[in-house]
């Protein structure tokens, strides 16, 4: 077993280690972060010989410019078992640096991390946040190693504070946006090689799946617009629930002011109040459904991008047909198949939850629309009474009710058109895609892992 750190301390130098945007690389670790394997690109970019990497703690490539709080947050999310993504600055064996967007997912006995060269719009923002968090850590620690835990906590807190200021309420929302933007920015076409018939079939399936996932990734910006639209409509309706209640109260007060002549108006006001009390819980239930659907959409976006990245990594890791795969390569394919199976299953679950949430929203919107149709009828009766009484205040009051309810009905139509906007067949197409990915993953997991690689 290799030592936990290199024999000679590596000194960081301000020189970037080059690799191409289309060069994906990966490594696997045990549950404690000790490196089990890595592909040729990882070996080349890190600058270490493979034998020097295997058995080392993964922090052999940690760069001193990285705030430790990032890894604290990273491992907390990884421990949840659902995968995590982060920008990471690594240090090569010669002290040079290279930035990656790393996606880490659980596999049997540990974790697999797929990395890509970052080029998306959030990369610069992340570097700025990291620099600020690192300064906080150094200030808190102030050369005293016993204060390191406090420093890490302070750095993590500062990072989350800065992300919140940038519009990301938590790290999970930031990592989802980062992964989606990087996968979208770094997508390249996959090319067939000169492999055997069986390998060619696997490559075709993966190539087709990658293309479908790529199309979904390109659609994710539109999905983000859907989330914003959902939230906006939901907030309007929440405001409407309180407004109707206030309108009803004002109508009751107005009818009391007018006196006996306004008995009919008083009745309308009382029914309007009762209807507002009936509608409010339904509106709030719809609001909760929208919140759930927005969260489900965020999970689905992450899963689409993660599945695309893992699928492409599997594709690039298949033997090229010019030489037989060695023990290490076969073992890596088993691990990649494990990651692909988990990713495709989670993607299917995320799609089912999101499309199921859309159906629930449609049903909830129909219920609220029926209740508001009664409010609309009461609003007409209120305006008629206002005209009969010759009271401009009553007419104005019910005119406001009418305008708000009309706008609410329009918002509800938007809810009811969501599935058509996204694509009525999207759920079925997504399920077929997940099945194809899972079948490929199963075939990879059936490879006999060589005993020498598994040891």
């Amino acid at each position: 077993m290799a030592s936990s750190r290199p024999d000679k301390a590596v000194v960081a130098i301000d020189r970037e280690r080059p690799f191409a945007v289309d060069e994906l690389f990966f490594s696997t670790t045990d549950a404690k972060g000790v490196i089990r394997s890595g592909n040729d690109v990882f070996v080349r970019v890190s600058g270490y010989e493979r034998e020097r990497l295997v058995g080392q703690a993964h922090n052999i490539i940690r760069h001193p410019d990285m705030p430790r709080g990032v890894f604290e947050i990273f491992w907390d999310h990884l421990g949840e078992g659902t995968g995590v993504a982060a920008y990471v600055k690594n240090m090569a064996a010669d002290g040079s640096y290279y930035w990656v967007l790393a996606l880490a997912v659980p596999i049997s006995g540990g974790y697999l991390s797929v990395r890509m060269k970052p080029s998306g719009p959030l990369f610069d923002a992340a570097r700025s946040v990291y620099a600020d968090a690192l300064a906080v850590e150094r200030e808190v620690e102030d050369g005293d190693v016993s204060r390191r835990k406090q420093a890490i906590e302070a750095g993590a807190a500062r990072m989350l504070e800065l992300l919140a200021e940038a519009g990301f309420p938590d790290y999970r929302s930031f990592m989802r946006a980062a992964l989606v933007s990087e996968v979208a920015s770094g997508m390249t076409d996959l090319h067939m090689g000169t492999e055997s018939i069986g390998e060619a079939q696997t490559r075709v399936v993966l190539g087709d799946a990658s293309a479908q996932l790529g199309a979904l990734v390109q659609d994710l910006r539109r999905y983000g617009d859907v989330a914003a639209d959902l939230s906006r409509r939901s907030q309007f309706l929440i405001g409407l629930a309180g407004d109707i209640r206030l309108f009803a109260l004002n109508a009751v007060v107005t009818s009391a002011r007018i006196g006996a002549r306004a008995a009919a108006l008083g009745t309308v006001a009382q029914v309007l109040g009762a209807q507002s009390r009936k509608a409010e819980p339904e509106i709030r239930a719809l609001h909760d459904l929208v919140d759930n659907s927005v969260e489900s959409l965020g999970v689905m976006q992450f899963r689409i991008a993660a599945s695309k990245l893992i699928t492409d990594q599997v594709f690039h890791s298949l033997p090229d047909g010019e030489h037989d795969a060695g023990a290490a390569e076969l073992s890596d394919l088993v691990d990649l198949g494990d990651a692909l199976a988990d990713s495709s299953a989670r993607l299917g679950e995320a799609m089912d939850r999101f499309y199921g949430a859309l159906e629930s929203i449609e049903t909830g919107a129909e219920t609220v629309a029926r209740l508001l149709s009664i409010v609309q009828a009461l609003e007409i009766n209120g305006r008629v009474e206002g005209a009969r009484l010759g009271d401009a205040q009553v007419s104005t009051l019910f005119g406001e009710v009418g305008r708000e309810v009309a706008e609410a009905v329009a918002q509800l139509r938007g809810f009811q058109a969501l599935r058509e906007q996204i694509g009525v067949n999207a759920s079925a197409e997504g399920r077929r895609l997940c099945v194809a990915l899972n079948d490929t993953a199963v075939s990879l997991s059936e490879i006999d892992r060589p005993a020498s690689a598994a040891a």
Side-chain angles (χ1 to χ4, degrees), residues 12-89:
I13 58 176
D14 189 20
R15 185 175 70 236
E16 186 171 8
R17 192 137 179 122
F19 66 101
V21 173
D22 62 349
E23 285 190 293
L24 301 180
F25 58 97
F26 72 91
S27 61
T28 63
T29 70
D30 65 14
K32 294 183 178 180
V34 175
I35 298 172
R36 298 195 311 203
S37 70
N39 67 346
D40 291 342
V41 181
F42 175 50
V43 171
R44 190 193 81 231
V45 176
S46 71
Y48 289 99
E49 295 179 358
R50 188 182 303 276
E51 293 75 16
R52 195 76 183 96
L53 287 169
V54 174
Q56 295 278 2
H58 210 281
N59 64 8
I60 186 176
I61 56 173
R62 189 182 75 82
H63 197 285
D65 286 351
M66 279 295 295
R68 296 177 186 273
V70 174
F71 299 111
E72 180 90 351
I73 294 172
F74 189 89
W75 277 97
D76 283 347
H77 282 75
L78 192 57
E80 294 174 0
T82 56
V84 62
Y87 290 105
V88 182
K89 185 177 185 179

Side-chain angles (χ1 to χ4, degrees), residues 268-289:
V268 170
Q270 289 174 0
V271 176
L272 181 61
Q275 196 64 20
S276 72
R277 290 190 293 274
K278 189 175 181 180
E280 185 165 358
E282 296 295 342
I283 290 174
R284 294 195 177 278
L286 179 58
H287 175 75
D288 291 342
L289 285 172

